[in-house]
């Protein structure tokens, strides 16, 4: 079937059809949810027609695809993105207006699928958008969590987590295919069978695929995102039902469904929980089977698998796919080990996302052997053959052998998933220049020495469709008026704005856009949370997961220090630049220090916001539940972007890119992609501060004493003492205030105090620069003009060139 016509009449016909026959109501009785669902399904009609064409073409041409394996896809709201990609924005607006329906109200009904924690999951979502827009046949594989990242609320300033029941009203964007369910097995033992080994599993679950359409921007390409949901197998059920134990059968069902029940809410510090390993194996086993048995023709010669697919591993979460593919080839198809290994190495590539040692996943041998006994054997064999090569290359260097082994012996016998991924993948990439350098120099140094050609960099990016075109319609309009609309798919065209930075009229209009975005943010936060901004003051934003390495506490020290200066009378109020400090951050529920930081930020915020002397001057707003929807509102309104991690700890960051593209200036350390942002936008348009990575490493090894900074810097001491005095916590010197005080002055793992002075100086430069509106907006325009590099389209082109090889671009 062809797509419906791109006319208001056709759109309206389909919409009413969906209201009547999809929702089974008359328009006059339809609820906002009915209308939202009908609207979404109408958009789906348009996309599905192209989807089927693409799938048919792919089937006929047997072209190469990219499979992006990721435990998280932080998609954000779908309606506006799909309307945009399908070229239906105006048609839908007109059609609904004719029917007297407010499209804004329907947008408000949508619940975003929060199937990710933060940067890593959002990156996956940007990448599938870019893959489709670049016309690359591709499929995203992941998990359809019934509950995504928790909904954050504050009670007395403390984080309280609420379940994210995003499916309560149903999702109109997914299509379930229970008839294509795949069985995944667990547990049991391994037996000898003829020449080989045979896994006799103990239990199994079904993976039911849910398909989502992933449309490219106005190019007629629609790819697939396939998320797996766990269900109990019929056979398992039946056995127990027949035994007459109804309750036990229902328990079995619940047990199976648990696997895709909830997203683990840890970002950067995963807990090595059994259910998490079940999730990981569940989704990659489903995905491999799906590709090999459903997508490929029945008689396909798997020796040619690398001609058809590359599996990109988004961090180590999907790495168990490596022994799984080996098992499919060796055990189930009787292949020779070396043959299977050659194919396996060609089809996998690994993206590493971290530098924090605690974020490198390891699975205890005890757990892995219990859950996936055959996979453990396969990993051992991969390791043996690998270590043999290491011994050949470095005879007698047993220390190196132990360092490089996939199997760690201390503190318990465990599998290092990053090592397995590095050994198996044909390429390993970091996510920003500095990060890739540090991977090769430190985290995976031995491997980079052995296989220098394996290591490469692909700097992250963000999709300009969502994070500029949709999030910032006013700026988009201004840009398009100036340089045409080619930038939406060719973001380097923003360079053509550079001369306009010198154009006073353009800068005035640019400021108007920023002011409008601030008013809209103020409206959003007022309606959403009853929060007020400080008039049209500078918007200074730090939004990202709450983690010590990101150093929200350093931001807090700046705010407390400003407040302390004013309230002690040392700093005249008139000299303070009016600012609204905006925080957005979820803390992992078990991460006590992070939760205390939230509590303290809220306590400081309350004190400042209630001080009548500071009215209209300083505000601290911390809207709860930072997510993609909120990011899209907040980032376009920001003047200053806080990217203040300890150098060497933030792999890349992508929030930093979103801000620069929306004309915020960055105050940041020499870390992650900040390095590249600064190189591109220029030193004059970026506020750099803090230690470099080598300086931080040197200080660490020399022995870092935060107390020395506390004692020797009176301004720092005053700020910390004010916190410790209970001034913000109703006199309570213990609790969050006491805990943050002692953690900073005694340990300070991420050396916030060492960078405090430099940060304060940089903030003084910010104030000075902001006072000159013309110069500031010139810098802001230059940030936009020079950040085109940070499009995820460019990242995907780099993956194609450096990692995926061949030519998976569809030229039809
Ligand atoms: C972009 C984004 C992130 C990542 O932000 P960083 O500053 O790079 O950590 C996290 N959460 C959401 C909702 C985002 O949109």
């Amino acid at each position: 079937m062809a797509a419906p016509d791109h006319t208001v009449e056709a759109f309206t016909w389909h919409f009413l059809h969906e209201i009547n026959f999809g929702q089974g109501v008359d328009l006059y009785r339809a609820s906002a949810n009915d209308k939202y669902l009908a609207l979404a399904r109408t958009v789906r009609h348009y996309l599905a027609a192209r989807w089927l064409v693409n799938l048919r073409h792919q089937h006929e041409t047997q072209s190469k695809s990219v499979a992006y394996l990721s435990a998280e896809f932080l998609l954000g709201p779908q309606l506006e993105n799909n309307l945009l990609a399908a070229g239906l924005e105006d048609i839908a607006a007109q059609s609904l207006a004719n029917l007297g329906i407010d499209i804004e109200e329907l947008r408000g009904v949508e619940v975003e699928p929060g199937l990710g924690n933060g940067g890593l999951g959002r990156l996956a979502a940007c990448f599938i958008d870019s893959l489709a827009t670049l016309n690359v046949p591709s499929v995203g594989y992941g998990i359809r969590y019934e509950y995504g990242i928790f909904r954050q609320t504050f009670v007395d300033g403390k984080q309280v987590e609420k379940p994210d029941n995003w499916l309560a009203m149903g999702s109109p964007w997914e299509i379930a295919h229970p008839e294509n369910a795949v069985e995944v097995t667990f547990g049991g033992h391994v037996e000898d069978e003829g020449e080989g080994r045979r896994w006799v599993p103990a239990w199994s679950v079904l993976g039911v695929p849910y398909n989502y359409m992933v449309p490219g921007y106005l190019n007629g390409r629609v790819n697939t995102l396939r998320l797996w949901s766990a269900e109990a197998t019929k056979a398992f059920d039946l056995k127990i039902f027949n035994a007459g134990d109804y309750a036990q059968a229902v328990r079995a069902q619940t047990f199976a469904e648990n696997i895709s029940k909830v997203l683990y809410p840890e970002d950067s510090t995963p807990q090595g929980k059994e259910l998490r390993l079940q999730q990981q194996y569940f989704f990659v086993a489903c995905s491999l089977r799906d590709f090999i048995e459903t997508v490929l023709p029945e008689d396909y010669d798997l020796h040619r698998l690398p001609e058809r697919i590359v599996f990109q591993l988004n961090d180590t979460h999907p790495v168990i796919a490596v022994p799984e593919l080996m098992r499919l080839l060796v055990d189930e198809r009787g292949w020779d080990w070396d043959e299977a290994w050659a194919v396996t190495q060609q089809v996998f590539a690994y993206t590493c996302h971290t530098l924090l040692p605690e974020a490198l996943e390891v699975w205890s041998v005890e757990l892995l052997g219990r859950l996936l006994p055959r996979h453990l054997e396969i990993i051992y064999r991969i390791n043996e053959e690998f270590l043999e090569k290491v011994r050949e290359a470095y005879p007698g260097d047993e220390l190196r052998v132990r360092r490089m082994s996939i199997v760690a012996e201390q503190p318990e016998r465990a599998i290092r998933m990053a090592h397995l991924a590095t050994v198996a993948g044909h390429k390993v990439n970091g996510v920003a220049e500095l990060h890739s350098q540090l991977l090769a120099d430190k985290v995976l140094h031995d491997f980079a020495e052995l296989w220098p050609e394996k290591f490469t960099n692909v700097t992250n990016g963000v999709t300009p469709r969502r994070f500029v075109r949709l999030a910032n319609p006013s700026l988009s309009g201004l840009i398009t008026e100036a340089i045409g609309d080619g930038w939406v798919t060719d973001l380097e065209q923003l360079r053509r704005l550079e001369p306009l930075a010198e154009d006073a009229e353009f800068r005035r209009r640019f400021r108007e856009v920023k002011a409008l975005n601030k008013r809209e943010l103020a409206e959003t936060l007022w309606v959403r949370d009853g929060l007020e901004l400080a008039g049209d003051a500078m918007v200074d934003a730090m939004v990202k997961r709450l983690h010590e390495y990101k150093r929200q506490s350093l931001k807090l020290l700046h705010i407390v220090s400003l407040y302390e200066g004013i309230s002690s009378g040392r700093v005249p109020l008139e000299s303070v630049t009016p600012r609204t400090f905006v925080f957005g951050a979820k803390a992992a529920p078990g991460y006590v220090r992070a939760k205390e930081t939230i509590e303290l930020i809220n306590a400081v915020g309350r004190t400042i916001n209630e001080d009548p002397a500071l009215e209209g001057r300083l505000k601290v707003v911390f809207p709860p539940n930072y997510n993609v929807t909120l990011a899209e509102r907040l980032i376009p309104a920001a003047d200053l972007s806080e990217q203040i991690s300890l150098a060497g700890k933030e792999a890349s960051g992508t929030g930093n890119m979103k801000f620069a593209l929306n004309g915020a200036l960055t105050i940041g350390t020499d870390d992650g992609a900040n390095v590249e942002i600064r190189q591109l936008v220029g030193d004059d348009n970026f506020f750099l501060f803090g230690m470099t990575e080598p300086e931080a490493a040197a200080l660490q090894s020399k022995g870092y004493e935060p107390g020395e900074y506390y004692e020797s810097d009176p301004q720092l001491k005053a700020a910390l003492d004010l916190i410790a005095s209970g001034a913000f916590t109703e006199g309570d010197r213990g609790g969050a205030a006491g805990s943050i005080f002692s953690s900073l002055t005694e340990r300070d793992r991420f050396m916030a105090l060492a960078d405090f002075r430099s940060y304060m100086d940089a903030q003084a430069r910010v104030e000075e620069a902001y006072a000159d509106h013309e110069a500031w907006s010139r810098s802001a325009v230059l940030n936009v003009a020079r950040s085109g590099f940070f499009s995820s389209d460019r990242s995907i082109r780099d993956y194609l060139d450096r990692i995926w090889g061949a030519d998976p671009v569809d030229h039809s």
Side-chain angles (χ1 to χ4, degrees), residues 74 118-119 122 467 543-544 550 626-628 631 643 653-655 658:
L74 186 52
R122 185 53 237 175
F467 287 108
V543 291
K544 48 185 72 255
K550 292 178 183 275
Y626 180 58
N627 59 9
V628 179
Q643 308 299 336
T654 48
K658 299 169 197 165

Side-chain angles (χ1 to χ4, degrees), residues 315-581:
D315 215 295
T316 52
H317 317 144
V319 170
I320 197 72
V322 169
E324 172 65 2
L325 182 60
M326 288 300 288
R327 190 188 67 81
L328 291 176
L329 297 177
V330 174
D331 294 4
E332 295 202 354
R333 286 172 179 72
W335 284 28
D336 171 70
W337 178 274
D338 292 340
E339 243 185 321
W341 184 241
V343 165
T344 298
Q345 278 201 306
Q346 284 178 75
V347 297
F348 285 109
Y350 163 52
T351 304
C352 178
H353 279 273
T354 190
L355 289 162
L356 300 178
E358 66 266 36
L360 290 170
E361 264 189 325
V362 291
W363 289 109
S364 83
V365 160
E366 184 279 317
L367 170 57
L368 224 156
R370 183 153 46 79
L371 207 59
L372 300 167
R374 179 57 184 145
H375 295 77
L376 181 61
E377 288 186 357
I378 291 171
I379 292 169
Y380 279 150
R381 168 121 186 232
I382 292 172
N383 195 39
E384 269 167 37
E385 306 213 343
F386 162 61
L387 293 183
E388 210 171 291
K389 293 215 180 70
V390 176
R391 289 196 175 96
E392 262 166 44
Y394 306 96
D397 193 348
E398 277 307 303
L399 209 59
R400 182 185 298 260
V401 168
R402 239 171 299 153
R403 280 202 310 265
M404 295 181 80
S405 176
I406 294 170
V407 184
E409 300 297 339
Q410 297 291 337
E412 59 173 347
R413 214 147 197 255
I415 304 301
R416 298 161 163 154
M417 300 307 270
H419 290 203
L420 177 57
T422 304
V423 170
H426 69 281
K427 289 283 176 185
V428 176
N429 74 287
V431 290
E433 289 289 350
L434 174 67
H435 174 237
S436 296
Q437 194 62 49
L438 291 171
L439 274 188
D441 290 350
K442 296 191 166 179
V443 184
L444 297 172
H445 176 68
D446 295 320
F447 295 89
E449 214 166 64
L450 182 62
W451 298 311
E453 68 296 336
K454 207 184 247 209
F455 285 75
T456 187
N457 171 251
V458 178
T459 299
N460 283 167
V462 299
T463 170
R465 270 74 63 187
R466 181 176 293 271
F467 287 108
V468 183
R469 175 62 180 74
L470 288 171
N472 201 340
S474 308
L475 180 61
S476 298
L478 182 62
I479 295 172
T480 296
E481 201 185 306
I483 63 169
D485 63 4
W487 61 273
V488 179
T489 50
D490 179 10
L491 205 59
E492 288 285 3
Q493 286 189 25
L494 292 178
R495 283 270 174 198
R496 290 161 54 198
L497 293 172
E498 258 191 52
L500 292 166
E502 302 306 326
D503 179 333
E505 173 59 13
F506 187 80
R507 291 198 304 268
R508 188 190 61 73
R509 294 191 57 197
F510 184 89
R511 283 196 296 273
E512 245 174 42
V513 164
K514 199 51 100 181
L516 174 67
N517 290 340
K518 284 184 199 179
R519 286 198 296 278
E520 289 185 347
L521 176 64
E523 168 75 14
T524 300
L525 294 185
W526 175 248
V527 172
R528 184 185 187 270
D529 308 302
L531 296 170
E532 280 182 273
L533 307 190
D536 56 359
M538 178 202 289
V539 171
D540 175 347
M542 181 161 190
V543 291
K544 48 185 72 255
R545 281 302 285 255
L546 202 310
H547 201 290
E548 286 167 283
Y549 85 80
K550 292 178 183 275
R551 302 200 295 192
Q552 277 90 355
S553 57
L554 180 57
K555 175 77 255 164
L556 189 61
L557 285 175
H558 167 232
I559 298 170
V560 170
S561 182
L562 266 179
Y563 174 77
E564 191 277 332
I566 297 167
S567 51
S568 68
R570 260 185 297 105
V571 177
L573 191 56
E574 315 75 63
S575 74
V576 174
T577 306
R579 285 204 220 204
T580 304
F581 298 98

Side-chain angles (χ1 to χ4, degrees), residues 454-761:
K454 207 184 247 209
F455 285 75
T456 187
N457 171 251
V458 178
T459 299
N460 283 167
V462 299
T463 170
R465 270 74 63 187
R466 181 176 293 271
F467 287 108
V468 183
R469 175 62 180 74
L470 288 171
N472 201 340
S474 308
L475 180 61
S476 298
L478 182 62
I479 295 172
T480 296
E481 201 185 306
I483 63 169
D485 63 4
W487 61 273
V488 179
T489 50
D490 179 10
L491 205 59
E492 288 285 3
Q493 286 189 25
L494 292 178
R495 283 270 174 198
R496 290 161 54 198
L497 293 172
E498 258 191 52
L500 292 166
E502 302 306 326
D503 179 333
E505 173 59 13
F506 187 80
R507 291 198 304 268
R508 188 190 61 73
R509 294 191 57 197
F510 184 89
R511 283 196 296 273
E512 245 174 42
V513 164
K514 199 51 100 181
L516 174 67
N517 290 340
K518 284 184 199 179
R519 286 198 296 278
E520 289 185 347
L521 176 64
E523 168 75 14
T524 300
L525 294 185
W526 175 248
V527 172
R528 184 185 187 270
D529 308 302
L531 296 170
E532 280 182 273
L533 307 190
D536 56 359
M538 178 202 289
V539 171
D540 175 347
M542 181 161 190
V543 291
K544 48 185 72 255
R545 281 302 285 255
L546 202 310
H547 201 290
E548 286 167 283
Y549 85 80
K550 292 178 183 275
R551 302 200 295 192
Q552 277 90 355
S553 57
L554 180 57
K555 175 77 255 164
L556 189 61
L557 285 175
H558 167 232
I559 298 170
V560 170
S561 182
L562 266 179
Y563 174 77
E564 191 277 332
I566 297 167
S567 51
S568 68
R570 260 185 297 105
V571 177
L573 191 56
E574 315 75 63
S575 74
V576 174
T577 306
R579 285 204 220 204
T580 304
F581 298 98
V582 182
F583 287 92
K586 290 179 185 176
Y591 189 173
V592 174
R593 185 72 37 78
K595 290 179 123 176
E596 288 171 345
T597 306
I598 288 177
E599 196 183 337
L600 191 57
I601 293 170
N602 279 327
V604 169
R606 183 161 18 88
T607 310
I608 289 178
N609 298 344
E610 284 173 1
D611 188 334
L614 300 176
E615 184 63 39
R617 283 258 153 198
L618 292 185
K619 282 264 186 250
V620 180
V621 299
F622 194 159
N625 202 40
Y626 180 58
N627 59 9
V628 179
T629 307
L630 187 58
E632 289 182 36
R633 287 306 183 113
L634 218 151
I635 292 169
D639 296 298
L640 187 65
S641 158
E642 301 272 352
Q643 308 299 336
I644 62 178
S645 52
L646 173 61
K649 299 299 175 188
E650 185 73 90
S652 161
T654 48
N656 48 4
M657 301 168 183
K658 299 169 197 165
F659 279 104
L661 280 166
N662 282 280
L665 276 61
T666 305
I667 182 166
T669 46
D670 210 30
D671 199 15
N674 292 355
V675 176
E676 289 154 82
I677 293 177
R678 186 169 62 90
Q679 278 163 3
L680 282 163
V681 306
D683 283 332
D684 297 344
N685 308 303
F686 186 108
F687 301 95
L688 177 69
F689 76 95
M691 295 176 285
T692 61
E693 189 279 332
E695 285 166 356
L699 178 56
Q700 194 67 265
S701 57
K702 165 184 135 219
Y704 171 58
E705 295 284 352
E708 290 171 9
Y709 295 85
Y710 168 70
E711 293 297 344
S712 66
D713 185 329
Q715 203 182 0
L716 173 59
K717 184 167 189 306
L720 281 162
D721 287 348
L722 193 62
I723 290 171
S725 75
F728 304 108
T729 42
E730 295 165 348
D732 183 6
R733 293 151 172 274
S739 172
I740 300 288
F741 174 83
S742 42
S743 112
L744 285 175
T745 51
E746 287 161 23
R747 173 110 198 271
D748 192 16
R749 255 191 85 202
F750 296 97
M751 301 196 271
L753 302 202
D755 276 345
F756 175 80
R757 184 42 44 205
S758 167
Y759 182 50
M760 293 299 287
D761 292 346

Side-chain angles (χ1 to χ4, degrees), residues 12-23:
T12 305
W13 186 89
H14 280 268
F15 175 73
L16 291 174
H17 191 86
E18 282 295 341
I19 288 278
N20 295 156
F21 304 115
Q23 291 306 108

Side-chain angles (χ1 to χ4, degrees), residues 142-316:
I143 301 174
R144 179 181 176 272
Y145 301 103
E146 199 178 321
Y147 293 89
I149 185 66
F150 63 85
R151 190 163 55 80
Q152 178 192 52
T153 63
F154 295 144
V155 175
D156 298 332
K158 295 188 184 63
Q159 171 175 300
V160 173
E161 303 90 22
K162 296 275 162 63
D164 162 53
N165 195 3
W166 70 287
L167 289 167
M169 298 294 226
S171 168
W173 303 108
E174 59 180 25
I175 302 176
H177 283 283
E179 75 285 5
N180 292 340
V182 180
E183 189 171 351
V184 181
T185 57
F186 294 90
H189 62 276
V190 185
E191 294 174 353
D192 280 323
E193 186 188 59
E195 304 280 275
R197 303 276 288 160
R198 190 171 72 96
W199 180 20
V200 186
W203 55 280
S204 66
V205 301
L206 284 182
V208 175
Y210 284 71
N211 292 334
Y212 290 71
M213 293 178 229
V214 183
Y217 175 72
L218 298 180
N219 67 349
R221 151 92 30 202
V222 181
N223 284 331
T224 306
L225 170 63
R226 186 159 297 146
L227 302 181
W228 298 97
S229 178
E231 285 185 13
T233 57
K234 298 286 174 296
F236 197 51
D237 265 10
L238 210 60
K239 212 163 64 195
I240 308 171
F241 271 110
N242 288 345
D245 192 344
Y246 175 75
Q248 171 61 17
V250 173
R251 270 201 299 281
Q253 198 140 4
T254 311
F255 177 76
E257 285 164 7
N258 257 342
I259 291 184
S260 56
K261 184 68 76 184
V262 61
L263 167 74
Y264 275 98
E266 283 94 24
D267 187 68
S268 304
T269 34
Q271 307 292 308
K273 296 274 169 61
E274 179 160 356
L275 185 59
R276 190 178 166 94
L277 182 57
Q278 288 176 10
Q279 290 184 335
Q280 295 183 353
Y281 179 64
F282 166 73
F283 98 89
V284 298
C286 288
S287 305
L288 289 186
R289 283 274 301 280
D290 179 66
F291 191 80
I292 291 172
E293 291 175 14
T294 315
V295 180
L296 290 180
E298 211 171 318
D299 55 354
Y300 191 81
D301 175 8
L302 290 179
H303 293 92
R304 296 175 57 192
L305 194 60
E307 294 169 27
R308 288 298 312 278
I309 194 77
V310 57
F311 291 105
Q312 188 67 35
L313 304 167
N314 194 26
D315 215 295
T316 52

